[in-house]
Amino acid sequence: MRTSSIIEWKEDGITLKEAEITRSDSSNCRGEIYVVGLGPGDLEYLSIKAFKVIKEVDVVVGYNTYIDLLEDLIDEEQEVISTGMTKEVDRTQLAVEAAQDGKRVAMISSGDAGVYGMAGLVLEMVAENELDLSVEIIPGITAANAAASTLGAPLMHDYAVISLSDLLTPWEVIIDRLEKAAAGDFVIALYNPKSKQRTEQIKEARNIFLKHKAPDTPVGIVRSAKRGTEEMMITDLENMLNHEINMVTTVIIGNSETFTFADLMITPRGYEL
Ligand code: SAH
């Protein structure tokens, strides 16, 4: 048996022990912000580094749903600041203020914090205000990688990740990128594909793909990847809109080489077999 401060390897698997808590009296310290990617959902997919940071900080800041996921990790001495989903700027402001008070702060983001997550916003705020804070980004498993692993190996060749949300990006820009990625025969992973209000974008995206890709191009749809409620479906461009697509869905459209086998989606890397 090998042990380290927080992990224990045993015959029957790995156990995470309580981290050696190094939380200290933080007054007079330079503030620290860790922007922590939680991975796709289930805590089994949280990195050990992320686990350790969440255990050690004084303050945990995040969107309510993600804070709930971490309930078992956070102890009473830690301060928790949770806000609603669209409050990213307010949330970042609160995290920065806590760090400026000399606290160690974990800013929680789903998946990878640097993929449509909180990392950019935190760094932009620090840069814009020339703040004397230490910032560290802790990577997480992004939805595209989580979904791909459920589908098989669809991202084995060059791929593009495109968000269909036009809240912060003009729709013309998104259309242009969809066109170019499809024309370049990239595998394409779509984030934010459809919400209750945004129902047309996924249809328009499919029409663009059909200009460059065959109707039988494999399409993988994964809802709630790597969460207890995960559901997956392999279909094709022709039929993809007949399946439920929502805001916890990642849609992966294959390239011209992608094929299906049993319930797997595979993009060849190019090896001779
Ligand atoms: N930072 C996150 C992405 C945030 S954008 C990451 O790296 O994963 C939000 C979009 O991510 C959702 O609309 C959905 O398309 C995708 N997503 C997030 N979690 C997911 C999951 N568990 N399963 C499938 N898609 C997911």
Side-chain angles (χ1 to χ4, degrees), residues 194-230:
K194 186 178 174 188
S195 70
K196 289 203 178 83
Q197 295 79 33
R198 284 189 307 100
T199 54
E200 298 309 300
Q201 283 85 345
I202 187 76
K203 297 180 193 164
E204 227 178 301
R206 174 178 166 274
N207 288 339
I208 292 170
F209 297 152
L210 280 169
K211 290 202 274 173
H212 304 277
K213 293 172 180 276
D216 64 353
T217 302
V219 173
I221 297 174
V222 187
R223 293 188 290 272
S224 300
K226 302 295 179 254
R227 300 184 187 178
T229 50
E230 176 182 273

PDB file of all heavy atoms in Angstrom, residues 194-230:
ATOM      1  N   LYS A 194     -29.087  23.981 -27.561  1.00  0.00           N
ATOM      2  CA  LYS A 194     -30.511  24.341 -27.621  1.00  0.00           C
ATOM      3  C   LYS A 194     -31.017  24.597 -26.203  1.00  0.00           C
ATOM      4  O   LYS A 194     -30.672  23.853 -25.279  1.00  0.00           O
ATOM      5  CB  LYS A 194     -31.270  23.152 -28.226  1.00  0.00           C
ATOM      6  CG  LYS A 194     -32.731  23.384 -28.502  1.00  0.00           C
ATOM      7  CD  LYS A 194     -33.322  22.120 -29.136  1.00  0.00           C
ATOM      8  CE  LYS A 194     -34.814  22.247 -29.291  1.00  0.00           C
ATOM      9  NZ  LYS A 194     -35.413  20.979 -29.718  1.00  0.00           N
ATOM     10  N   SER A 195     -31.826  25.639 -26.049  1.00  0.00           N
ATOM     11  CA  SER A 195     -32.459  25.857 -24.744  1.00  0.00           C
ATOM     12  C   SER A 195     -33.947  26.074 -24.998  1.00  0.00           C
ATOM     13  O   SER A 195     -34.383  26.050 -26.150  1.00  0.00           O
ATOM     14  CB  SER A 195     -31.865  27.104 -24.066  1.00  0.00           C
ATOM     15  OG  SER A 195     -32.281  28.264 -24.765  1.00  0.00           O
ATOM     16  N   LYS A 196     -34.709  26.334 -23.967  1.00  0.00           N
ATOM     17  CA  LYS A 196     -36.157  26.558 -24.169  1.00  0.00           C
ATOM     18  C   LYS A 196     -36.381  27.769 -25.068  1.00  0.00           C
ATOM     19  O   LYS A 196     -37.268  27.778 -25.906  1.00  0.00           O
ATOM     20  CB  LYS A 196     -36.837  26.763 -22.817  1.00  0.00           C
ATOM     21  CG  LYS A 196     -36.901  25.486 -22.001  1.00  0.00           C
ATOM     22  CD  LYS A 196     -38.034  25.531 -20.970  1.00  0.00           C
ATOM     23  CE  LYS A 196     -38.108  24.233 -20.200  1.00  0.00           C
ATOM     24  NZ  LYS A 196     -37.165  24.168 -19.082  1.00  0.00           N
ATOM     25  N   GLN A 197     -35.539  28.792 -24.897  1.00  0.00           N
ATOM     26  CA  GLN A 197     -35.704  30.014 -25.707  1.00  0.00           C
ATOM     27  C   GLN A 197     -35.010  29.894 -27.065  1.00  0.00           C
ATOM     28  O   GLN A 197     -35.459  30.459 -28.046  1.00  0.00           O
ATOM     29  CB  GLN A 197     -35.101  31.234 -24.991  1.00  0.00           C
ATOM     30  CG  GLN A 197     -35.779  31.635 -23.680  1.00  0.00           C
ATOM     31  CD  GLN A 197     -35.358  30.741 -22.528  1.00  0.00           C
ATOM     32  OE1 GLN A 197     -34.232  30.269 -22.480  1.00  0.00           O
ATOM     33  NE2 GLN A 197     -36.264  30.493 -21.586  1.00  0.00           N
ATOM     34  N   ARG A 198     -33.893  29.186 -27.100  1.00  0.00           N
ATOM     35  CA  ARG A 198     -33.097  29.137 -28.332  1.00  0.00           C
ATOM     36  C   ARG A 198     -33.309  27.786 -29.024  1.00  0.00           C
ATOM     37  O   ARG A 198     -32.598  26.835 -28.740  1.00  0.00           O
ATOM     38  CB  ARG A 198     -31.612  29.323 -28.024  1.00  0.00           C
ATOM     39  CG  ARG A 198     -31.181  30.732 -27.721  1.00  0.00           C
ATOM     40  CD  ARG A 198     -29.667  30.852 -27.655  1.00  0.00           C
ATOM     41  NE  ARG A 198     -29.074  29.894 -26.730  1.00  0.00           N
ATOM     42  CZ  ARG A 198     -28.505  28.762 -27.094  1.00  0.00           C
ATOM     43  NH1 ARG A 198     -28.422  28.425 -28.359  1.00  0.00           N
ATOM     44  NH2 ARG A 198     -28.000  27.950 -26.188  1.00  0.00           N
ATOM     45  N   THR A 199     -34.284  27.729 -29.892  1.00  0.00           N
ATOM     46  CA  THR A 199     -34.618  26.441 -30.500  1.00  0.00           C
ATOM     47  C   THR A 199     -34.202  26.361 -31.969  1.00  0.00           C
ATOM     48  O   THR A 199     -34.139  25.280 -32.544  1.00  0.00           O
ATOM     49  CB  THR A 199     -36.139  26.186 -30.406  1.00  0.00           C
ATOM     50  OG1 THR A 199     -36.785  27.316 -30.994  1.00  0.00           O
ATOM     51  CG2 THR A 199     -36.601  26.029 -28.967  1.00  0.00           C
ATOM     52  N   GLU A 200     -33.923  27.504 -32.584  1.00  0.00           N
ATOM     53  CA  GLU A 200     -33.696  27.525 -34.040  1.00  0.00           C
ATOM     54  C   GLU A 200     -32.241  27.296 -34.426  1.00  0.00           C
ATOM     55  O   GLU A 200     -31.949  26.825 -35.522  1.00  0.00           O
ATOM     56  CB  GLU A 200     -34.181  28.865 -34.628  1.00  0.00           C
ATOM     57  CG  GLU A 200     -35.676  29.108 -34.453  1.00  0.00           C
ATOM     58  CD  GLU A 200     -36.511  27.927 -34.930  1.00  0.00           C
ATOM     59  OE1 GLU A 200     -36.410  27.585 -36.127  1.00  0.00           O
ATOM     60  OE2 GLU A 200     -37.256  27.330 -34.110  1.00  0.00           O
ATOM     61  N   GLN A 201     -31.317  27.654 -33.507  1.00  0.00           N
ATOM     62  CA  GLN A 201     -29.886  27.622 -33.868  1.00  0.00           C
ATOM     63  C   GLN A 201     -29.421  26.228 -34.294  1.00  0.00           C
ATOM     64  O   GLN A 201     -28.654  26.083 -35.237  1.00  0.00           O
ATOM     65  CB  GLN A 201     -29.025  28.115 -32.693  1.00  0.00           C
ATOM     66  CG  GLN A 201     -29.013  29.610 -32.513  1.00  0.00           C
ATOM     67  CD  GLN A 201     -30.170  30.129 -31.695  1.00  0.00           C
ATOM     68  OE1 GLN A 201     -31.157  29.437 -31.473  1.00  0.00           O
ATOM     69  NE2 GLN A 201     -30.061  31.357 -31.243  1.00  0.00           N
ATOM     70  N   ILE A 202     -29.898  25.217 -33.599  1.00  0.00           N
ATOM     71  CA  ILE A 202     -29.446  23.857 -33.912  1.00  0.00           C
ATOM     72  C   ILE A 202     -29.937  23.441 -35.312  1.00  0.00           C
ATOM     73  O   ILE A 202     -29.240  22.737 -36.043  1.00  0.00           O
ATOM     74  CB  ILE A 202     -29.894  22.850 -32.804  1.00  0.00           C
ATOM     75  CG1 ILE A 202     -29.290  21.472 -33.037  1.00  0.00           C
ATOM     76  CG2 ILE A 202     -31.400  22.762 -32.684  1.00  0.00           C
ATOM     77  CD1 ILE A 202     -27.853  21.332 -32.695  1.00  0.00           C
ATOM     78  N   LYS A 203     -31.125  23.943 -35.684  1.00  0.00           N
ATOM     79  CA  LYS A 203     -31.654  23.622 -37.026  1.00  0.00           C
ATOM     80  C   LYS A 203     -30.799  24.298 -38.091  1.00  0.00           C
ATOM     81  O   LYS A 203     -30.465  23.698 -39.116  1.00  0.00           O
ATOM     82  CB  LYS A 203     -33.108  24.114 -37.154  1.00  0.00           C
ATOM     83  CG  LYS A 203     -34.069  23.426 -36.199  1.00  0.00           C
ATOM     84  CD  LYS A 203     -35.475  23.968 -36.398  1.00  0.00           C
ATOM     85  CE  LYS A 203     -36.372  23.532 -35.252  1.00  0.00           C
ATOM     86  NZ  LYS A 203     -37.609  24.310 -35.189  1.00  0.00           N
ATOM     87  N   GLU A 204     -30.464  25.559 -37.826  1.00  0.00           N
ATOM     88  CA  GLU A 204     -29.641  26.295 -38.792  1.00  0.00           C
ATOM     89  C   GLU A 204     -28.240  25.676 -38.897  1.00  0.00           C
ATOM     90  O   GLU A 204     -27.673  25.565 -39.984  1.00  0.00           O
ATOM     91  CB  GLU A 204     -29.537  27.763 -38.359  1.00  0.00           C
ATOM     92  CG  GLU A 204     -29.798  28.694 -39.510  1.00  0.00           C
ATOM     93  CD  GLU A 204     -29.754  30.159 -39.117  1.00  0.00           C
ATOM     94  OE1 GLU A 204     -30.549  30.560 -38.239  1.00  0.00           O
ATOM     95  OE2 GLU A 204     -28.914  30.877 -39.667  1.00  0.00           O
ATOM     96  N   ALA A 205     -27.707  25.270 -37.747  1.00  0.00           N
ATOM     97  CA  ALA A 205     -26.381  24.639 -37.745  1.00  0.00           C
ATOM     98  C   ALA A 205     -26.422  23.372 -38.606  1.00  0.00           C
ATOM     99  O   ALA A 205     -25.544  23.137 -39.439  1.00  0.00           O
ATOM    100  CB  ALA A 205     -25.966  24.309 -36.319  1.00  0.00           C
ATOM    101  N   ARG A 206     -27.462  22.570 -38.435  1.00  0.00           N
ATOM    102  CA  ARG A 206     -27.579  21.330 -39.220  1.00  0.00           C
ATOM    103  C   ARG A 206     -27.651  21.630 -40.714  1.00  0.00           C
ATOM    104  O   ARG A 206     -27.027  20.950 -41.536  1.00  0.00           O
ATOM    105  CB  ARG A 206     -28.829  20.558 -38.759  1.00  0.00           C
ATOM    106  CG  ARG A 206     -29.127  19.336 -39.598  1.00  0.00           C
ATOM    107  CD  ARG A 206     -30.344  18.592 -39.049  1.00  0.00           C
ATOM    108  NE  ARG A 206     -30.857  17.627 -39.997  1.00  0.00           N
ATOM    109  CZ  ARG A 206     -31.720  17.899 -40.969  1.00  0.00           C
ATOM    110  NH1 ARG A 206     -32.179  19.140 -41.141  1.00  0.00           N
ATOM    111  NH2 ARG A 206     -32.140  16.949 -41.771  1.00  0.00           N
ATOM    112  N   ASN A 207     -28.410  22.678 -41.092  1.00  0.00           N
ATOM    113  CA  ASN A 207     -28.492  23.042 -42.512  1.00  0.00           C
ATOM    114  C   ASN A 207     -27.117  23.410 -43.068  1.00  0.00           C
ATOM    115  O   ASN A 207     -26.781  23.057 -44.191  1.00  0.00           O
ATOM    116  CB  ASN A 207     -29.464  24.216 -42.712  1.00  0.00           C
ATOM    117  CG  ASN A 207     -30.907  23.776 -42.506  1.00  0.00           C
ATOM    118  OD1 ASN A 207     -31.211  22.574 -42.612  1.00  0.00           O
ATOM    119  ND2 ASN A 207     -31.787  24.710 -42.193  1.00  0.00           N
ATOM    120  N   ILE A 208     -26.331  24.110 -42.267  1.00  0.00           N
ATOM    121  CA  ILE A 208     -24.974  24.471 -42.712  1.00  0.00           C
ATOM    122  C   ILE A 208     -24.134  23.200 -42.878  1.00  0.00           C
ATOM    123  O   ILE A 208     -23.445  23.021 -43.886  1.00  0.00           O
ATOM    124  CB  ILE A 208     -24.317  25.441 -41.699  1.00  0.00           C
ATOM    125  CG1 ILE A 208     -25.042  26.793 -41.745  1.00  0.00           C
ATOM    126  CG2 ILE A 208     -22.821  25.610 -41.987  1.00  0.00           C
ATOM    127  CD1 ILE A 208     -24.648  27.749 -40.631  1.00  0.00           C
ATOM    128  N   PHE A 209     -24.228  22.299 -41.917  1.00  0.00           N
ATOM    129  CA  PHE A 209     -23.427  21.056 -42.009  1.00  0.00           C
ATOM    130  C   PHE A 209     -23.800  20.274 -43.271  1.00  0.00           C
ATOM    131  O   PHE A 209     -22.948  19.695 -43.933  1.00  0.00           O
ATOM    132  CB  PHE A 209     -23.639  20.169 -40.777  1.00  0.00           C
ATOM    133  CG  PHE A 209     -23.187  20.808 -39.494  1.00  0.00           C
ATOM    134  CD1 PHE A 209     -23.785  20.479 -38.281  1.00  0.00           C
ATOM    135  CD2 PHE A 209     -22.155  21.736 -39.476  1.00  0.00           C
ATOM    136  CE1 PHE A 209     -23.372  21.061 -37.098  1.00  0.00           C
ATOM    137  CE2 PHE A 209     -21.737  22.324 -38.300  1.00  0.00           C
ATOM    138  CZ  PHE A 209     -22.350  21.988 -37.112  1.00  0.00           C
ATOM    139  N   LEU A 210     -25.112  20.254 -43.587  1.00  0.00           N
ATOM    140  CA  LEU A 210     -25.567  19.463 -44.743  1.00  0.00           C
ATOM    141  C   LEU A 210     -25.043  20.010 -46.077  1.00  0.00           C
ATOM    142  O   LEU A 210     -25.042  19.313 -47.080  1.00  0.00           O
ATOM    143  CB  LEU A 210     -27.097  19.381 -44.748  1.00  0.00           C
ATOM    144  CG  LEU A 210     -27.671  18.331 -43.790  1.00  0.00           C
ATOM    145  CD1 LEU A 210     -29.182  18.494 -43.652  1.00  0.00           C
ATOM    146  CD2 LEU A 210     -27.326  16.905 -44.240  1.00  0.00           C
ATOM    147  N   LYS A 211     -24.590  21.265 -46.067  1.00  0.00           N
ATOM    148  CA  LYS A 211     -23.986  21.813 -47.299  1.00  0.00           C
ATOM    149  C   LYS A 211     -22.615  21.183 -47.557  1.00  0.00           C
ATOM    150  O   LYS A 211     -22.121  21.172 -48.663  1.00  0.00           O
ATOM    151  CB  LYS A 211     -23.807  23.337 -47.165  1.00  0.00           C
ATOM    152  CG  LYS A 211     -25.112  24.107 -47.177  1.00  0.00           C
ATOM    153  CD  LYS A 211     -24.871  25.562 -47.577  1.00  0.00           C
ATOM    154  CE  LYS A 211     -24.511  26.399 -46.371  1.00  0.00           C
ATOM    155  NZ  LYS A 211     -24.111  27.760 -46.670  1.00  0.00           N
ATOM    156  N   HIS A 212     -21.968  20.708 -46.469  1.00  0.00           N
ATOM    157  CA  HIS A 212     -20.586  20.228 -46.590  1.00  0.00           C
ATOM    158  C   HIS A 212     -20.416  18.751 -46.224  1.00  0.00           C
ATOM    159  O   HIS A 212     -19.383  18.165 -46.516  1.00  0.00           O
ATOM    160  CB  HIS A 212     -19.668  21.045 -45.662  1.00  0.00           C
ATOM    161  CG  HIS A 212     -19.732  22.527 -45.919  1.00  0.00           C
ATOM    162  ND1 HIS A 212     -18.998  23.135 -46.916  1.00  0.00           N
ATOM    163  CD2 HIS A 212     -20.461  23.503 -45.331  1.00  0.00           C
ATOM    164  CE1 HIS A 212     -19.253  24.440 -46.908  1.00  0.00           C
ATOM    165  NE2 HIS A 212     -20.130  24.690 -45.958  1.00  0.00           N
ATOM    166  N   LYS A 213     -21.378  18.189 -45.529  1.00  0.00           N
ATOM    167  CA  LYS A 213     -21.228  16.823 -45.026  1.00  0.00           C
ATOM    168  C   LYS A 213     -22.392  15.963 -45.532  1.00  0.00           C
ATOM    169  O   LYS A 213     -23.502  16.474 -45.718  1.00  0.00           O
ATOM    170  CB  LYS A 213     -21.233  16.818 -43.478  1.00  0.00           C
ATOM    171  CG  LYS A 213     -20.013  17.498 -42.837  1.00  0.00           C
ATOM    172  CD  LYS A 213     -20.198  17.630 -41.315  1.00  0.00           C
ATOM    173  CE  LYS A 213     -19.007  18.298 -40.640  1.00  0.00           C
ATOM    174  NZ  LYS A 213     -17.915  17.364 -40.325  1.00  0.00           N
ATOM    175  N   ALA A 214     -22.160  14.668 -45.687  1.00  0.00           N
ATOM    176  CA  ALA A 214     -23.208  13.764 -46.173  1.00  0.00           C
ATOM    177  C   ALA A 214     -24.308  13.600 -45.114  1.00  0.00           C
ATOM    178  O   ALA A 214     -24.033  13.672 -43.911  1.00  0.00           O
ATOM    179  CB  ALA A 214     -22.591  12.400 -46.484  1.00  0.00           C
ATOM    180  N   PRO A 215     -25.557  13.368 -45.559  1.00  0.00           N
ATOM    181  CA  PRO A 215     -26.670  13.209 -44.605  1.00  0.00           C
ATOM    182  C   PRO A 215     -26.470  12.036 -43.639  1.00  0.00           C
ATOM    183  O   PRO A 215     -27.014  12.035 -42.538  1.00  0.00           O
ATOM    184  CB  PRO A 215     -27.886  12.955 -45.495  1.00  0.00           C
ATOM    185  CG  PRO A 215     -27.496  13.408 -46.860  1.00  0.00           C
ATOM    186  CD  PRO A 215     -26.009  13.339 -46.959  1.00  0.00           C
ATOM    187  N   ASP A 216     -25.686  11.026 -44.056  1.00  0.00           N
ATOM    188  CA  ASP A 216     -25.476   9.878 -43.148  1.00  0.00           C
ATOM    189  C   ASP A 216     -24.217  10.053 -42.273  1.00  0.00           C
ATOM    190  O   ASP A 216     -23.755   9.089 -41.654  1.00  0.00           O
ATOM    191  CB  ASP A 216     -25.433   8.563 -43.928  1.00  0.00           C
ATOM    192  CG  ASP A 216     -24.262   8.491 -44.894  1.00  0.00           C
ATOM    193  OD1 ASP A 216     -23.555   9.524 -45.059  1.00  0.00           O
ATOM    194  OD2 ASP A 216     -24.050   7.417 -45.484  1.00  0.00           O
ATOM    195  N   THR A 217     -23.691  11.255 -42.195  1.00  0.00           N
ATOM    196  CA  THR A 217     -22.558  11.518 -41.287  1.00  0.00           C
ATOM    197  C   THR A 217     -22.993  11.216 -39.841  1.00  0.00           C
ATOM    198  O   THR A 217     -24.025  11.731 -39.389  1.00  0.00           O
ATOM    199  CB  THR A 217     -22.119  13.007 -41.382  1.00  0.00           C
ATOM    200  OG1 THR A 217     -21.772  13.280 -42.734  1.00  0.00           O
ATOM    201  CG2 THR A 217     -20.953  13.311 -40.465  1.00  0.00           C
ATOM    202  N   PRO A 218     -22.237  10.385 -39.128  1.00  0.00           N
ATOM    203  CA  PRO A 218     -22.650  10.063 -37.754  1.00  0.00           C
ATOM    204  C   PRO A 218     -22.705  11.294 -36.833  1.00  0.00           C
ATOM    205  O   PRO A 218     -21.863  12.192 -36.941  1.00  0.00           O
ATOM    206  CB  PRO A 218     -21.557   9.097 -37.283  1.00  0.00           C
ATOM    207  CG  PRO A 218     -20.991   8.514 -38.530  1.00  0.00           C
ATOM    208  CD  PRO A 218     -21.052   9.613 -39.549  1.00  0.00           C
ATOM    209  N   VAL A 219     -23.710  11.288 -35.979  1.00  0.00           N
ATOM    210  CA  VAL A 219     -23.880  12.354 -34.976  1.00  0.00           C
ATOM    211  C   VAL A 219     -24.117  11.678 -33.623  1.00  0.00           C
ATOM    212  O   VAL A 219     -24.999  10.824 -33.507  1.00  0.00           O
ATOM    213  CB  VAL A 219     -25.088  13.266 -35.334  1.00  0.00           C
ATOM    214  CG1 VAL A 219     -25.367  14.264 -34.206  1.00  0.00           C
ATOM    215  CG2 VAL A 219     -24.840  14.009 -36.638  1.00  0.00           C
ATOM    216  N   GLY A 220     -23.330  12.049 -32.644  1.00  0.00           N
ATOM    217  CA  GLY A 220     -23.526  11.532 -31.282  1.00  0.00           C
ATOM    218  C   GLY A 220     -24.158  12.604 -30.411  1.00  0.00           C
ATOM    219  O   GLY A 220     -23.762  13.774 -30.467  1.00  0.00           O
ATOM    220  N   ILE A 221     -25.165  12.189 -29.652  1.00  0.00           N
ATOM    221  CA  ILE A 221     -25.849  13.132 -28.761  1.00  0.00           C
ATOM    222  C   ILE A 221     -25.711  12.584 -27.352  1.00  0.00           C
ATOM    223  O   ILE A 221     -26.117  11.448 -27.084  1.00  0.00           O
ATOM    224  CB  ILE A 221     -27.350  13.239 -29.148  1.00  0.00           C
ATOM    225  CG1 ILE A 221     -27.480  13.805 -30.573  1.00  0.00           C
ATOM    226  CG2 ILE A 221     -28.128  14.086 -28.145  1.00  0.00           C
ATOM    227  CD1 ILE A 221     -28.910  13.802 -31.106  1.00  0.00           C
ATOM    228  N   VAL A 222     -25.109  13.353 -26.458  1.00  0.00           N
ATOM    229  CA  VAL A 222     -24.964  12.878 -25.078  1.00  0.00           C
ATOM    230  C   VAL A 222     -25.561  13.913 -24.126  1.00  0.00           C
ATOM    231  O   VAL A 222     -25.167  15.074 -24.124  1.00  0.00           O
ATOM    232  CB  VAL A 222     -23.486  12.625 -24.700  1.00  0.00           C
ATOM    233  CG1 VAL A 222     -23.406  11.980 -23.318  1.00  0.00           C
ATOM    234  CG2 VAL A 222     -22.805  11.738 -25.743  1.00  0.00           C
ATOM    235  N   ARG A 223     -26.542  13.459 -23.363  1.00  0.00           N
ATOM    236  CA  ARG A 223     -27.138  14.329 -22.347  1.00  0.00           C
ATOM    237  C   ARG A 223     -26.559  13.942 -20.989  1.00  0.00           C
ATOM    238  O   ARG A 223     -26.407  12.761 -20.683  1.00  0.00           O
ATOM    239  CB  ARG A 223     -28.669  14.157 -22.313  1.00  0.00           C
ATOM    240  CG  ARG A 223     -29.352  14.651 -23.587  1.00  0.00           C
ATOM    241  CD  ARG A 223     -30.870  14.655 -23.443  1.00  0.00           C
ATOM    242  NE  ARG A 223     -31.425  13.310 -23.403  1.00  0.00           N
ATOM    243  CZ  ARG A 223     -31.785  12.617 -24.485  1.00  0.00           C
ATOM    244  NH1 ARG A 223     -31.659  13.144 -25.690  1.00  0.00           N
ATOM    245  NH2 ARG A 223     -32.276  11.401 -24.372  1.00  0.00           N
ATOM    246  N   SER A 224     -26.221  14.933 -20.187  1.00  0.00           N
ATOM    247  CA  SER A 224     -25.689  14.720 -18.833  1.00  0.00           C
ATOM    248  C   SER A 224     -24.541  13.712 -18.812  1.00  0.00           C
ATOM    249  O   SER A 224     -24.546  12.771 -18.017  1.00  0.00           O
ATOM    250  CB  SER A 224     -26.808  14.259 -17.886  1.00  0.00           C
ATOM    251  OG  SER A 224     -27.813  15.225 -17.835  1.00  0.00           O
ATOM    252  N   ALA A 225     -23.568  13.934 -19.678  1.00  0.00           N
ATOM    253  CA  ALA A 225     -22.416  13.030 -19.743  1.00  0.00           C
ATOM    254  C   ALA A 225     -21.751  12.895 -18.376  1.00  0.00           C
ATOM    255  O   ALA A 225     -21.587  13.874 -17.660  1.00  0.00           O
ATOM    256  CB  ALA A 225     -21.399  13.589 -20.749  1.00  0.00           C
ATOM    257  N   LYS A 226     -21.419  11.667 -18.038  1.00  0.00           N
ATOM    258  CA  LYS A 226     -20.688  11.371 -16.792  1.00  0.00           C
ATOM    259  C   LYS A 226     -21.387  11.918 -15.542  1.00  0.00           C
ATOM    260  O   LYS A 226     -20.762  12.406 -14.605  1.00  0.00           O
ATOM    261  CB  LYS A 226     -19.247  11.883 -16.881  1.00  0.00           C
ATOM    262  CG  LYS A 226     -18.474  11.281 -18.051  1.00  0.00           C
ATOM    263  CD  LYS A 226     -18.287   9.769 -17.884  1.00  0.00           C
ATOM    264  CE  LYS A 226     -17.554   9.127 -19.032  1.00  0.00           C
ATOM    265  NZ  LYS A 226     -18.410   8.330 -19.934  1.00  0.00           N
ATOM    266  N   ARG A 227     -22.724  11.857 -15.618  1.00  0.00           N
ATOM    267  CA  ARG A 227     -23.543  12.088 -14.424  1.00  0.00           C
ATOM    268  C   ARG A 227     -24.431  10.865 -14.298  1.00  0.00           C
ATOM    269  O   ARG A 227     -24.599  10.121 -15.269  1.00  0.00           O
ATOM    270  CB  ARG A 227     -24.433  13.328 -14.572  1.00  0.00           C
ATOM    271  CG  ARG A 227     -23.631  14.595 -14.791  1.00  0.00           C
ATOM    272  CD  ARG A 227     -24.520  15.820 -14.845  1.00  0.00           C
ATOM    273  NE  ARG A 227     -23.715  16.977 -15.219  1.00  0.00           N
ATOM    274  CZ  ARG A 227     -24.181  18.185 -15.394  1.00  0.00           C
ATOM    275  NH1 ARG A 227     -25.465  18.440 -15.227  1.00  0.00           N
ATOM    276  NH2 ARG A 227     -23.390  19.181 -15.729  1.00  0.00           N
ATOM    277  N   GLY A 228     -25.047  10.694 -13.164  1.00  0.00           N
ATOM    278  CA  GLY A 228     -25.894   9.514 -12.944  1.00  0.00           C
ATOM    279  C   GLY A 228     -27.010   9.414 -13.974  1.00  0.00           C
ATOM    280  O   GLY A 228     -27.503   8.330 -14.285  1.00  0.00           O
ATOM    281  N   THR A 229     -27.411  10.547 -14.544  1.00  0.00           N
ATOM    282  CA  THR A 229     -28.569  10.578 -15.446  1.00  0.00           C
ATOM    283  C   THR A 229     -28.161  10.565 -16.923  1.00  0.00           C
ATOM    284  O   THR A 229     -28.963  10.913 -17.788  1.00  0.00           O
ATOM    285  CB  THR A 229     -29.381  11.860 -15.174  1.00  0.00           C
ATOM    286  OG1 THR A 229     -28.449  12.973 -15.184  1.00  0.00           O
ATOM    287  CG2 THR A 229     -30.069  11.816 -13.829  1.00  0.00           C
ATOM    288  N   GLU A 230     -26.918  10.152 -17.184  1.00  0.00           N
ATOM    289  CA  GLU A 230     -26.409  10.198 -18.569  1.00  0.00           C
ATOM    290  C   GLU A 230     -27.296   9.419 -19.558  1.00  0.00           C
ATOM    291  O   GLU A 230     -27.769   8.327 -19.262  1.00  0.00           O
ATOM    292  CB  GLU A 230     -25.004   9.593 -18.603  1.00  0.00           C
ATOM    293  CG  GLU A 230     -24.432   9.515 -20.006  1.00  0.00           C
ATOM    294  CD  GLU A 230     -23.053   8.871 -20.041  1.00  0.00           C
ATOM    295  OE1 GLU A 230     -22.066   9.596 -19.858  1.00  0.00           O
ATOM    296  OE2 GLU A 230     -22.976   7.648 -20.235  1.00  0.00           O
TER     297      GLU A 230
END
